[in-house]
Amino acid sequence: MELRQLRYFVTVAEELHFGRAAARLHIAQPAVSQQVQRLERDLRVQLLDRSPRRVRLTEAGLRFLPAARAVLAAADQARASVADLAGGRAELFRLGTVTGLGERLDAVLDAFAEQAPQVQVELVAVPVRDRLAQVADGRLDAAFVRSPEPDESPELDFLPAWDDPLVVALPAKHPLAQQDSVQLTDLGPIPLRLTERRNHPALVDLVLNACVRAGFEPTPAPTSTTLQDTLAAIGAGSPMWTVVYESNARQVHNSRVAFRPFADPGMSLPIALAVRADAASPNLRLLGALLVEPTSR
């Protein structure tokens, strides 16, 4: 039994949805499912009743949940006691984030921890409007955002971080999935399955505008509320496609879905770090410096 397994289980129990739990934990949904299943195997009981439409706690899960929370609380208290012995509680740095940042975020956080071990980074996942508002009023020290719009937040500065490439997801048996890369024009006859624009306007606008520049307007397929549902529909074999962040695609193991890069020029969304225009703490300066070349550290 591992602490991360308990943390994943508690998060799923609170959300009653694997996709939302994965978003809160900033990891891919399959990793959450796998670790919870391992926990169930170790305990030799089923903690969650899974169905295509909902997730709910079993009787064993209801009994186990308070104990799991108690263990996690004890672990947090143990960490705090060590910080006290070392000369005081760890300094807290609250960082807003968004799902799909993958290995780049891990590299930045690892390098930050090496250079500022006295600082505890707390990741906070909230919608982008709330994220920016919390940076502006000081509840967050900084926040990552995709495709920032500086004109809408003049009190904030946006530090360029990196570009987040997109790949195409297709049924594994589709002829285009046999290619090393996919031309956007070849996707014209195939229905496109995207989230609703209100959920991710920057992503939807990027894809639709790229299609128009390529000479076609995509036929819309039914929308899904989660990436998990979208990939399940694509894996069922019906001709359709969607886009996935490359970092997310590397964490998805689904033999019925193929991920392929777009042929040049490709598609990507810029990632930036939002900070208050008047902020100048050492932690912010360190984080900003690490964005330049996080993987080299």
Side-chain angles (χ1 to χ4, degrees):
M1 187 185 305
E2 301 177 10
L3 286 177
R4 65 170 175 167
Q5 293 173 341
L6 298 181
R7 187 170 292 106
Y8 293 2
F9 163 69
V10 169
T11 306
V12 174
E14 291 173 350
E15 295 290 343
L16 293 180
H17 192 284
F18 279 90
R20 290 194 297 269
R24 273 181 56 185
L25 292 163
H26 314 292
I27 59 175
Q29 184 273 332
V32 179
S33 299
Q34 291 167 7
Q35 292 302 323
V36 172
Q37 288 171 357
R38 289 179 183 174
L39 177 61
E40 289 175 322
R41 287 198 297 270
D42 290 343
L43 295 173
R44 298 182 181 179
V45 294
Q46 184 176 351
L47 301 172
L48 297 168
D49 182 12
R50 305 159 176 83
S51 72
R53 293 190 175 183
R54 64 177 180 176
V55 176
R56 61 183 178 181
L57 289 164
T58 64
E59 180 65 27
L62 289 169
R63 292 188 181 186
F64 185 68
L65 181 57
R69 283 176 169 151
V71 171
L72 293 174
D76 290 340
Q77 186 176 1
R79 294 190 187 97
S81 67
V82 172
D84 290 339
L85 290 173
R89 290 186 177 275
E91 182 181 351
L92 184 63
F93 186 85
R94 303 189 78 238
L95 178 62
T97 189
V98 60
T99 58
L101 298 186
E103 297 172 356
R104 295 298 296 268
L105 177 61
D106 291 340
V108 169
L109 294 179
D110 288 345
F112 188 92
E114 288 180 8
Q115 299 194 36
Q118 79 284 0
V119 180
Q120 177 186 345
V121 178
E122 178 184 341
L123 297 180
V124 179
V126 293
V128 63
R129 291 183 183 276
D130 295 336
R131 217 177 309 145
L132 296 176
Q134 290 184 28
V135 173
D137 65 21
R139 284 177 290 168
L140 290 178
D141 296 288
F144 285 106
V145 292
R146 286 194 174 96
S147 295
E149 298 182 4
D151 292 342
E152 295 186 3
S153 304
E155 71 278 21
L156 301 179
D157 286 340
F158 294 89
L159 310 179
W162 61 82
D163 285 340
D164 213 353
L166 295 167
V167 297
V168 60
L170 292 158
K173 295 183 178 179
H174 194 279
L176 290 177
Q178 313 312 312
Q179 301 178 180
D180 293 333
S181 62
V182 176
Q183 294 282 351
L184 186 58
T185 51
D186 292 338
L187 296 168
I190 308 172
L192 168 62
R193 193 179 186 107
L194 277 181
T195 186
E196 294 182 6
R197 187 182 183 278
R198 60 185 175 85
N199 296 329
H200 202 333
L203 175 68
V204 173
D205 289 348
L206 173 70
V207 175
L208 295 183
N209 289 337
C211 291
V212 170
R213 288 194 300 271
F216 70 95
E217 291 190 10
T219 302
T223 60
S224 299
T225 56
T226 67
L227 176 61
Q228 179 186 5
D229 292 341
T230 296
L231 296 180
I234 291 174
S238 298
M240 65 179 72
W241 65 283
T242 192
V243 294
V244 179
Y245 295 110
E246 184 181 58
S247 54
N248 272 359
R250 286 196 293 266
Q251 299 178 21
V252 175
H253 303 285
N254 186 334
S255 60
R256 296 183 299 172
V257 178
F259 300 100
R260 296 291 180 267
F262 287 99
D264 288 340
M267 280 190 278
S268 64
L269 283 175
I271 301 293
L273 184 71
V275 300
R276 291 186 301 281
D278 59 351
S281 73
N283 291 331
L284 280 176
R285 287 196 295 271
L286 172 58
L287 185 59
L290 293 173
L291 295 180
V292 178
E293 221 172 345
T295 57
S296 67
R297 299 179 182 267

